[in-house]
Amino acid sequence: MEISKDWDNTSMARLRYLAAAWFAGYALLLLLLFFHPLAVAPRGILLYIGLPTVAAAVAGGLWGWRILNPVKTMGQSMVTGIVVATGAFAIFSVFYSISLPFVERGWSLRQSFGLLLLTSTFGILLAGPIVLLGGILAGTTLYLLARRMISGNKS
């Protein structure tokens, strides 16, 4: 599977879907490992597991497909994984600040910008290492999957 300029939209869409599913799967796995010992209310599951997973899928679809390019090195794939995970965190921050007033009482949409700043600031401090580790792991394993797919096609 080579990426070239003459690829059709179907091939590009498949790459985007694969990367989106890959990053969403890694996000879900890390979040379940992180939150599994806690008793979380259903709305907490939506906010702290559902939204980050969806954000990872969006970021993976937007930027993660580049890892599948056969000319990428493992180091470039790790950096791309970090970029995708950082983008997913930014997308999650926006999703969270908009959805919290609808899910929890006591918040209003007028507070969304402040929630965005709060989520971004404290989220970087608290979840930053997990985000970076998840991006590195997802980027590396997606790179290895792509190399296995390419070597399987040549045989």
Side-chain angles (χ1 to χ4, degrees), residues 67 72-82 135 139-140 143 147:
I67 294 171
K72 287 273 189 185
T73 65
M74 186 175 293
Q76 290 171 327
S77 296
M78 287 178 173
V79 171
T80 304
I82 291 172
T140 302
Y143 169 84
R147 295 311 156 270

Side-chain angles (χ1 to χ4, degrees), residues 14-95:
R14 287 182 182 153
L15 292 177
R16 289 182 185 273
Y17 290 141
L18 174 61
W22 198 263
F23 277 92
Y26 261 89
L28 182 62
L29 177 68
L30 287 173
L31 289 163
L32 289 176
L33 288 173
F34 185 72
F35 284 112
H36 90 276
L38 304 175
V40 181
R43 62 181 172 261
I45 292 172
L46 169 72
L47 289 171
Y48 300 112
I49 295 176
L51 289 180
T53 303
V54 170
V58 170
L62 288 174
W63 305 298
W65 62 272
R66 291 176 176 87
I67 294 171
L68 299 168
N69 188 339
V71 298
K72 287 273 189 185
T73 65
M74 186 175 293
Q76 290 171 327
S77 296
M78 287 178 173
V79 171
T80 304
I82 291 172
V83 169
V84 172
T86 305
F89 178 75
I91 293 168
F92 162 72
S93 295
V94 172
F95 285 173

